[in-house]
Structure formats: C-alpha cells, structure tokens
Amino acid sequence: MQAPHISIERVNKVFESDCRTVAALQDISLDIPHGQFTCLLGPSGCGKSTLLNAVAGFAPPSSGAIMVDGRPVAAPGPERGMVFQEYALFPWMTVEKNVAFGLEIKGLPAAQVGATVDRLLKMLSLGDFRQRYPKDLSGGMRQRVAIARVLALDSPIMLMDEPFGALDALTRRNLQDELLRIWAGLEKTILFVTHSIEEAIYLADRIVVMTYRPGTIKRDLLVEIPRMRDPAAPAFNALKRELGMLVMEEQQRHHNDELRMAALD
Ligand SMILES: Nc1ncnc2c1ncn2[C@@H]1O[C@H](COP(=O)(O)OP(=O)(O)OP(=O)(O)O)[C@@H](O)[C@H]1O
Ligand SMILES: [Mg+2]
C-alpha cells in the first residue's frame, strides 16, 4: 500500500492571548493519499483555516505532527501551494507580474517564465487582462489570478481556503468546474476548505466534517457520486441532507457558545 501523501497525526492547536485560551484544534488525525480531493467542511470558527495553515507550515500545531511524503512540515515549502481565504495578490503588480512572481523568485529563465504565464492566463481566461492591476478586476477574476499564481508554482499539493467564498453563484460554479478540470488534468492533491455543503459535495472525493470549537473530526466520508455531479440528483440531495444535519448541530453549538459568552460579559 502506498504511504499517505499528507499525514496529520494527533494535531492540537491552542491559541493563547492575554485574557483567554482558545482550543482551536483537538486531536485531529487524517491521512490523505496522492491525488485525493478532500474538502474540510464546518461552521465558522471550527478551525478549518487553522488546520490548513498548519499543513501549509505557516503556523505549527501546539502538539502532534504533520508529514508530507514522510517528512515533517516545519515551514512553507514549494510542494504546498496555498490559495488564501482573502485573495492575497500584490496590489502593486499587474496580473502577469503576480503570476510570474513565484517563478522569478525561483530564478527561472525569462522565456520559461513567459511561456508558463501565457499558458496559465489562457487556461484561466485572463489573457486579455494581463496588464491590469488587482483593483481593476472583479472578485472572480482576482480569484482566478490567485489560482494561476499557485498553479505557476506547479506544487503537487494545493491548499485552498474558501477560495470561492466571496463569489456569485454562477462565477463560483464556473471556477469549481475549472478547478475540477485542472485537478483531473494535472493530478494534484487538493485540500479545500469550505462551509458550503453543496460545494463540498460538488467537488470532493472525500468530505471531512469538523466540529465547532475545539475543532475535531465529526465525520469522514467518501463521496461516491460519479462526476460531473448534478446538484439536483437524488443521491446529491440525500448526502446534502445528511451533511446538513451534521453541520447544523455544530452551528447550534456555536450559537449556544456565543449566548453563553454574551451572558458572561
Ligand atoms: N491567531 C489567532 N489568535 C487567537 N485565536 C485565533 C487565531 N486564529 C484563529 N483563532 C481562533 O481559533 C478558532 C478557529 O479559527 P479559524 O480561523 O481556524 O476558523 P475557520 O473554521 O477557518 O472559520 P471561518 O469559516 O470563519 O474562516 C476561532 O475561534 C478563532 O477565533
Ligand atoms: Mg477560515
């Protein structure tokens, strides 16, 4: 059997600040094989970004280990590309410079950088906008630039934190389809965070539902519906209902927690 590509072993994360301690993740263990498209699903505040940041190497866990291909993650690395919850583009750079940036840092020859940037801008329908700055783009276009920038690095692992959260429904569906095409064509391993149940079912091989604080794994299931998936199909709806119930329980816990905190103030 092939060793797991990403191995998350008994990870805990505690945030300590002046007045309080937040247990964000508790005893998370997850093995992700090569090429799997995994969605982390859960309500706001359940630790999805915290877990993704730990896998990316931006914020190490308080205890436990994260391994990629058997090596412990200690810092960000070129084999893990991240698309952030807020589009992290450089506002002072044009679209093409944003996409080229990582390649230039690597010291690749200009001709190679140019060819890669051309290919990706075309793939993501950004060719006509290459000289624009992020402020002159729509949310969907900015998000496509962020995806192009990660694809430019050609990382085998893509970590995506609610990348389509701020988009209208049609743009979101188009980008989901583009991402599925890229994933299938380039054989990436994707760890994708969302709080949309429908998005998780539409995209994922596997859905990991997290509990509200502290984030633990509530359910880990494989989506066995063939692609391209039809959100109106009975199997899609049955899974949506099942996951809806799980997420709603956690949202209720979130709500109760907020009421309790308000009462303490
Ligand atoms: N740097 C930090 N310092 C203190 N607490 C933090 C920090 N980062 C996150 N937290 C807390 O940890 C918990 C998990 O946060 P996280 O951002 O991972 O949630 P999330 O699931 O990504 O939520 P959302 O869906 O809103 O993005 C929250 O209660 C949050 O307030
Ligand atoms: Mg988040």
Side-chain angles (χ1 to χ4, degrees), residues 15 22 24 43-50 85 162 195 213:
F15 290 108
V22 176
S44 186
C46 73
K48 305 181 296 296
S49 296
T50 303
Q85 191 162 0
E162 304 211 33
H195 58 245
R213 230 158 47 202

Side-chain angles (χ1 to χ4, degrees), residues 4-13 25-32 50-51 53-57 59-75 80 191 217:
H5 191 25
I6 304 172
S7 182
I8 299 169
E9 295 167 11
R10 313 210 61 169
V11 158
N12 291 282
K13 178 78 181 182
L25 298 174
Q26 186 177 297
D27 203 22
I28 302 265
S29 292
L30 210 54
D31 280 344
I32 298 175
T50 303
L51 184 56
N53 284 331
V55 176
S62 308
S63 66
I66 297 174
M67 321 279 277
V68 170
D69 290 330
R71 283 186 298 277
V73 165
R80 284 159 287 135
L191 190 51
I217 294 177

Side-chain angles (χ1 to χ4, degrees), residues 73-113:
V73 165
E79 78 287 2
R80 284 159 287 135
M82 177 100 167
V83 179
F84 292 92
Q85 191 162 0
E86 292 87 27
Y87 337 105
L89 301 178
F90 299 121
W92 62 89
M93 286 185 191
T94 60
V95 165
E96 71 178 3
K97 285 288 177 198
N98 263 285
V99 178
F101 179 75
L103 299 171
E104 285 168 352
I105 291 274
K106 273 190 184 172
L108 295 184
Q112 196 180 334
V113 173

Side-chain angles (χ1 to χ4, degrees), residues 174-231:
N174 286 337
L175 282 187
Q176 287 167 342
D177 287 341
E178 253 160 49
L179 181 63
L180 284 173
R181 269 196 296 276
I182 290 164
W183 167 73
L186 303 180
E187 297 178 358
K188 306 281 182 195
T189 303
I190 299 184
L191 190 51
F192 185 106
V193 163
T194 181
H195 58 245
S196 160
I197 294 168
E198 177 162 328
E199 180 164 73
I201 303 174
Y202 192 71
L203 292 175
D205 291 324
R206 175 184 187 183
I207 298 178
V208 176
V209 183
M210 291 176 65
T211 61
Y212 179 66
R213 230 158 47 202
T216 61
I217 294 177
K218 186 178 176 87
R219 184 69 64 84
D220 181 354
L221 57 85
L222 295 175
V223 184
E224 317 222 54
I225 307 169
R227 292 191 179 87
M228 300 296 289
R229 294 174 181 153
D230 173 7

Side-chain angles (χ1 to χ4, degrees), residues 107-125:
L108 295 184
Q112 196 180 334
V113 173
T116 304
V117 171
D118 286 350
R119 179 175 57 79
L120 290 171
L121 292 182
K122 201 165 156 210
M123 184 197 238
L124 290 162
S125 311

Side-chain angles (χ1 to χ4, degrees), residues 20 212-213 255-265:
R20 65 189 196 124
Y212 179 66
R213 230 158 47 202
H255 183 64
N256 293 345
D257 201 41
E258 281 186 338
L259 290 177
R260 198 173 48 79
M261 301 280 268
L264 289 176
D265 276 347

